[in-house]
Amino acid sequence: GQNIDQPTEMTATEGAIVQINCTYQTSGFNGLFWYQQHAGEAPTFLSYNVLDGLEEKGRFSSFLSRSKGYSYLLLKELQMKDSASYLCAVGGRGSTLGRLYFGRGTQLTVWP
Amino acid sequence: GAGVSQSPRYKVAKRGQDVALRCDPISGHVSLFWYQQALGQGPEFLTYFQNEAQLDKSGLPSDRFFAERPEGSVSTLKIQRTQQEDSAVYLCASSLEDRGTDTQYFGPGTRLTVL
């Protein structure tokens, strides 16, 4: 089975840094994805990690530890527009190749 | 357009009605996926196409759900005899290749409400 766990809600203030954690236990692993989803809109791709370590992309960074089944998304210099749900997803492999297994999402609220 | 489009954006159906949801993937994308997203939850996989071939339909919740992609581009998800538990947002996604590591690009979804 697949188990992907992330906090339900987080809050932070404008200009701050926030780290959203994701832990996973899956029968297969083909990389970890982070998506951003504003209310009523499509999930949009943020990052992909398949090897251990940190990937930095502007204000957003994503980290993966495969041995620990752990990832985090780091958002720096928070802006009001960063208020959204952040979805952690694991890619399947073998018979589940192509599938994404999503966590329930972390609703981030950024206050002025 | 440049992105994945879905229609209708909103659909209200009476219990027992059949509905058809359409997805137009990004042109040239080989793979197409359908997901179901209940309120406050992450998307749940329904089915996956590689061109016109349906490679995985194990996520479809019942035999009332049927998906097709006859010419390898546009896809339709059909739900027969809708039930209240079918109320959700149905998301379509496409990816360029079929390697499993390719980024999936999502459409805005169809919000289905079954009364």
Side-chain angles (χ1 to χ4, degrees):
Chain A
Q2 322 294 336
N3 185 34
I4 299 164
D5 194 38
Q6 54 182 129
T8 304
E9 293 179 337
M10 297 184 73
T11 59
T13 53
E14 219 173 357
I17 300 173
V18 70
Q19 178 175 312
I20 302 174
N21 296 324
C22 172
T23 57
Y24 63 89
Q25 291 177 306
T26 57
S27 55
F29 179 82
N30 203 13
L32 190 134
F33 297 80
W34 284 95
Y35 281 82
Q36 180 192 60
Q37 186 176 28
H38 286 99
E41 298 184 10
T44 54
F45 171 77
L46 292 177
S47 68
Y48 170 66
N49 294 67
V50 67
L51 300 177
D52 290 352
L54 186 68
E55 295 275 346
E56 296 186 77
K57 194 185 294 185
R59 293 191 299 116
F60 292 5
S61 303
S62 56
F63 172 83
L64 176 66
S65 169
R66 288 172 296 170
S67 62
K68 295 181 179 177
Y70 168 68
S71 173
Y72 68 72
L73 180 69
L74 192 71
L75 293 78
K76 302 176 187 175
E77 300 167 17
L78 282 172
Q79 302 174 10
M80 298 291 289
K81 67 178 182 178
D82 297 329
S83 291
S85 180
Y86 291 85
L87 298 163
C88 170
V90 172
R93 66 182 304 134
S95 62
T96 61
L97 185 69
R99 289 197 194 190
L100 291 179
Y101 294 95
F102 283 88
R104 62 186 300 161
T106 299
Q107 183 64 46
L108 173 67
T109 302
V110 180
W111 299 102
Chain B
V4 178
S5 60
Q6 294 186 243
S7 61
R9 289 293 315 276
Y10 303 91
K11 177 70 180 176
V12 178
K14 292 182 179 178
R15 191 172 56 182
Q17 279 186 330
D18 297 349
V19 297
L21 312 179
R22 177 187 169 104
C23 172
D24 285 81
I26 295 172
S27 179
H29 277 199
V30 168
S31 298
L32 185 145
F33 307 83
W34 284 98
Y35 293 84
Q36 180 190 60
Q37 186 173 26
L39 191 62
Q41 303 292 321
E44 297 259 357
F45 171 83
L46 294 177
T47 187
Y48 159 44
F49 290 86
Q50 187 182 111
N51 296 306
E52 68 277 4
Q54 190 174 20
L55 297 189
D56 187 349
K57 57 180 181 180
S58 59
L60 296 175
S62 78
D63 58 8
R64 296 185 295 104
F65 286 70
F66 171 77
E68 59 183 6
R69 193 186 186 198
E71 297 178 359
S73 56
V74 171
S75 177
T76 303
L77 177 67
K78 297 179 180 178
I79 308 173
Q80 296 177 323
R81 305 181 304 281
T82 51
Q83 304 294 315
Q84 285 188 321
E85 62 263 27
D86 300 334
S87 295
V89 175
Y90 291 85
L91 294 166
C92 175
S94 69
S95 67
L96 182 60
E97 299 289 345
D98 58 355
R99 295 171 297 183
T101 57
D102 297 303
T103 298
Q104 294 185 22
Y105 297 91
F106 284 81
T110 295
R111 181 176 297 276
L112 173 66
T113 303
V114 181
L115 303 177

Short mmCIF file of all heavy atoms in Angstrom, two decimals, chain B residues 38-65:
data_model
loop_
_atom_site.label_atom_id
_atom_site.label_comp_id
_atom_site.label_asym_id
_atom_site.label_seq_id
_atom_site.Cartn_x
_atom_site.Cartn_y
_atom_site.Cartn_z
N ALA B 38 -11.51 14.55 -3.74
CA ALA B 38 -12.59 14.90 -2.81
C ALA B 38 -12.18 16.14 -2.03
O ALA B 38 -11.00 16.47 -1.91
CB ALA B 38 -12.86 13.73 -1.87
N LEU B 39 -13.15 16.82 -1.44
CA LEU B 39 -12.90 18.06 -0.72
C LEU B 39 -11.91 17.84 0.42
O LEU B 39 -12.06 16.92 1.22
CB LEU B 39 -14.22 18.59 -0.17
CG LEU B 39 -14.21 20.01 0.41
CD1 LEU B 39 -13.85 21.01 -0.69
CD2 LEU B 39 -15.56 20.35 1.03
N GLY B 40 -10.85 18.63 0.44
CA GLY B 40 -9.88 18.55 1.51
C GLY B 40 -8.92 17.39 1.41
O GLY B 40 -8.18 17.10 2.36
N GLN B 41 -8.92 16.71 0.27
CA GLN B 41 -8.05 15.56 0.08
C GLN B 41 -7.12 15.79 -1.11
O GLN B 41 -7.34 16.69 -1.93
CB GLN B 41 -8.88 14.30 -0.19
CG GLN B 41 -9.89 13.97 0.89
CD GLN B 41 -9.23 13.54 2.17
OE1 GLN B 41 -8.23 12.82 2.18
NE2 GLN B 41 -9.78 14.00 3.28
N GLY B 42 -6.09 14.95 -1.20
CA GLY B 42 -5.26 14.97 -2.39
C GLY B 42 -5.92 14.18 -3.51
O GLY B 42 -6.83 13.39 -3.28
N PRO B 43 -5.48 14.40 -4.74
CA PRO B 43 -6.03 13.64 -5.87
C PRO B 43 -5.76 12.15 -5.72
O PRO B 43 -4.70 11.74 -5.25
CB PRO B 43 -5.27 14.21 -7.07
CG PRO B 43 -4.81 15.57 -6.64
CD PRO B 43 -4.52 15.44 -5.18
N GLU B 44 -6.75 11.34 -6.13
CA GLU B 44 -6.62 9.88 -6.13
C GLU B 44 -6.66 9.39 -7.57
O GLU B 44 -7.56 9.74 -8.33
CB GLU B 44 -7.78 9.24 -5.35
CG GLU B 44 -7.84 9.62 -3.90
CD GLU B 44 -7.29 8.52 -3.01
OE1 GLU B 44 -6.93 7.45 -3.54
OE2 GLU B 44 -7.22 8.73 -1.80
N PHE B 45 -5.69 8.53 -7.90
CA PHE B 45 -5.57 8.01 -9.26
C PHE B 45 -6.80 7.21 -9.66
O PHE B 45 -7.30 6.39 -8.88
CB PHE B 45 -4.32 7.12 -9.34
CG PHE B 45 -4.18 6.35 -10.61
CD1 PHE B 45 -3.63 6.93 -11.74
CD2 PHE B 45 -4.62 5.04 -10.68
CE1 PHE B 45 -3.51 6.21 -12.92
CE2 PHE B 45 -4.50 4.30 -11.85
CZ PHE B 45 -3.93 4.89 -12.97
N LEU B 46 -7.25 7.43 -10.90
CA LEU B 46 -8.36 6.64 -11.45
C LEU B 46 -7.88 5.73 -12.58
O LEU B 46 -8.07 4.52 -12.54
CB LEU B 46 -9.47 7.56 -11.98
CG LEU B 46 -10.23 8.40 -10.95
CD1 LEU B 46 -11.23 9.29 -11.65
CD2 LEU B 46 -10.94 7.51 -9.94
N THR B 47 -7.26 6.34 -13.62
CA THR B 47 -6.89 5.56 -14.78
C THR B 47 -5.82 6.29 -15.58
O THR B 47 -5.60 7.49 -15.42
CB THR B 47 -8.13 5.26 -15.65
OG1 THR B 47 -7.78 4.36 -16.70
CG2 THR B 47 -8.70 6.54 -16.27
N TYR B 48 -5.15 5.53 -16.49
CA TYR B 48 -3.98 6.04 -17.20
C TYR B 48 -3.98 5.51 -18.63
O TYR B 48 -4.20 4.31 -18.86
CB TYR B 48 -2.74 5.58 -16.42
CG TYR B 48 -1.42 5.52 -17.15
CD1 TYR B 48 -0.99 6.53 -18.00
CD2 TYR B 48 -0.55 4.45 -16.93
CE1 TYR B 48 0.24 6.48 -18.63
CE2 TYR B 48 0.69 4.38 -17.56
CZ TYR B 48 1.08 5.39 -18.39
OH TYR B 48 2.31 5.34 -19.00
N PHE B 49 -3.75 6.40 -19.59
CA PHE B 49 -3.65 6.05 -20.99
C PHE B 49 -2.26 6.37 -21.50
O PHE B 49 -1.67 7.39 -21.16
CB PHE B 49 -4.65 6.86 -21.84
CG PHE B 49 -6.08 6.50 -21.62
CD1 PHE B 49 -6.81 7.07 -20.60
CD2 PHE B 49 -6.72 5.59 -22.46
CE1 PHE B 49 -8.15 6.76 -20.40
CE2 PHE B 49 -8.05 5.27 -22.28
CZ PHE B 49 -8.77 5.85 -21.24
N GLN B 50 -1.79 5.50 -22.37
CA GLN B 50 -0.60 5.79 -23.16
C GLN B 50 -1.08 5.79 -24.61
O GLN B 50 -1.45 4.74 -25.14
CB GLN B 50 0.48 4.74 -22.95
CG GLN B 50 1.80 5.05 -23.59
CD GLN B 50 2.78 3.92 -23.36
OE1 GLN B 50 3.15 3.22 -24.29
NE2 GLN B 50 3.17 3.71 -22.12
N ASN B 51 -1.10 6.95 -25.23
CA ASN B 51 -1.79 7.13 -26.51
C ASN B 51 -3.23 6.65 -26.36
O ASN B 51 -3.92 7.08 -25.44
CB ASN B 51 -1.02 6.43 -27.62
CG ASN B 51 0.35 7.03 -27.84
OD1 ASN B 51 0.48 8.23 -28.05
ND2 ASN B 51 1.39 6.21 -27.76
N GLU B 52 -3.70 5.75 -27.20
CA GLU B 52 -5.10 5.33 -27.08
C GLU B 52 -5.29 4.12 -26.18
O GLU B 52 -6.42 3.72 -25.89
CB GLU B 52 -5.68 5.03 -28.48
CG GLU B 52 -5.10 3.81 -29.17
CD GLU B 52 -3.78 4.10 -29.87
OE1 GLU B 52 -3.28 5.24 -29.76
OE2 GLU B 52 -3.26 3.19 -30.53
N ALA B 53 -4.18 3.55 -25.72
CA ALA B 53 -4.27 2.33 -24.90
C ALA B 53 -4.46 2.68 -23.42
O ALA B 53 -3.69 3.45 -22.85
CB ALA B 53 -3.00 1.51 -25.08
N GLN B 54 -5.46 2.08 -22.83
CA GLN B 54 -5.70 2.25 -21.40
C GLN B 54 -4.86 1.22 -20.66
O GLN B 54 -5.21 0.03 -20.63
CB GLN B 54 -7.18 2.09 -21.08
CG GLN B 54 -7.56 2.49 -19.66
CD GLN B 54 -9.06 2.46 -19.42
OE1 GLN B 54 -9.81 1.80 -20.16
NE2 GLN B 54 -9.54 3.17 -18.41
N LEU B 55 -3.76 1.67 -20.06
CA LEU B 55 -2.81 0.74 -19.45
C LEU B 55 -3.16 0.37 -18.02
O LEU B 55 -2.71 -0.68 -17.54
CB LEU B 55 -1.39 1.33 -19.50
CG LEU B 55 -0.79 1.60 -20.88
CD1 LEU B 55 0.67 1.96 -20.77
CD2 LEU B 55 -0.97 0.40 -21.80
N ASP B 56 -3.89 1.23 -17.35
CA ASP B 56 -4.18 0.98 -15.94
C ASP B 56 -5.52 1.61 -15.63
O ASP B 56 -5.68 2.82 -15.76
CB ASP B 56 -3.06 1.58 -15.07
CG ASP B 56 -3.19 1.24 -13.60
OD1 ASP B 56 -4.25 0.71 -13.17
OD2 ASP B 56 -2.23 1.51 -12.86
N LYS B 57 -6.48 0.77 -15.25
CA LYS B 57 -7.78 1.32 -14.84
C LYS B 57 -8.15 0.81 -13.46
O LYS B 57 -9.32 0.84 -13.06
CB LYS B 57 -8.87 0.97 -15.85
CG LYS B 57 -9.06 -0.51 -16.12
CD LYS B 57 -10.16 -0.72 -17.15
CE LYS B 57 -10.40 -2.19 -17.42
NZ LYS B 57 -11.48 -2.40 -18.42
N SER B 58 -7.16 0.39 -12.72
CA SER B 58 -7.42 -0.22 -11.42
C SER B 58 -7.91 0.78 -10.38
O SER B 58 -8.43 0.37 -9.35
CB SER B 58 -6.15 -0.90 -10.91
OG SER B 58 -5.09 0.04 -10.79
N GLY B 59 -7.76 2.08 -10.63
CA GLY B 59 -8.24 3.07 -9.68
C GLY B 59 -9.70 3.44 -9.84
O GLY B 59 -10.27 4.15 -9.00
N LEU B 60 -10.34 2.98 -10.91
CA LEU B 60 -11.76 3.30 -11.11
C LEU B 60 -12.57 2.66 -10.00
O LEU B 60 -12.46 1.46 -9.77
CB LEU B 60 -12.22 2.81 -12.48
CG LEU B 60 -11.54 3.48 -13.68
CD1 LEU B 60 -12.00 2.82 -14.99
CD2 LEU B 60 -11.84 4.97 -13.72
N PRO B 61 -13.40 3.43 -9.30
CA PRO B 61 -14.05 2.92 -8.08
C PRO B 61 -15.14 1.88 -8.32
O PRO B 61 -15.43 1.11 -7.40
CB PRO B 61 -14.62 4.18 -7.41
CG PRO B 61 -14.70 5.20 -8.48
CD PRO B 61 -13.65 4.88 -9.49
N SER B 62 -15.73 1.87 -9.49
CA SER B 62 -16.77 0.87 -9.76
C SER B 62 -16.93 0.73 -11.27
O SER B 62 -16.35 1.50 -12.04
CB SER B 62 -18.09 1.28 -9.13
OG SER B 62 -18.73 2.28 -9.90
N ASP B 63 -17.73 -0.27 -11.67
CA ASP B 63 -17.95 -0.46 -13.10
C ASP B 63 -18.88 0.62 -13.68
O ASP B 63 -19.20 0.58 -14.87
CB ASP B 63 -18.47 -1.87 -13.40
CG ASP B 63 -19.77 -2.18 -12.67
OD1 ASP B 63 -20.35 -1.25 -12.06
OD2 ASP B 63 -20.20 -3.33 -12.72
N ARG B 64 -19.31 1.55 -12.85
CA ARG B 64 -20.09 2.67 -13.40
C ARG B 64 -19.18 3.71 -14.05
O ARG B 64 -19.64 4.60 -14.75
CB ARG B 64 -20.90 3.35 -12.28
CG ARG B 64 -21.96 2.46 -11.63
CD ARG B 64 -22.81 3.23 -10.64
NE ARG B 64 -22.04 3.68 -9.49
CZ ARG B 64 -21.63 4.95 -9.30
NH1 ARG B 64 -21.93 5.89 -10.20
NH2 ARG B 64 -20.94 5.27 -8.22
N PHE B 65 -17.88 3.59 -13.79
CA PHE B 65 -16.90 4.54 -14.32
C PHE B 65 -16.23 3.93 -15.55
O PHE B 65 -15.76 2.78 -15.51
CB PHE B 65 -15.83 4.85 -13.28
CG PHE B 65 -16.29 5.75 -12.16
CD1 PHE B 65 -17.20 5.29 -11.22
CD2 PHE B 65 -15.82 7.05 -12.05
CE1 PHE B 65 -17.63 6.12 -10.18
CE2 PHE B 65 -16.24 7.88 -11.03
CZ PHE B 65 -17.14 7.42 -10.09
#
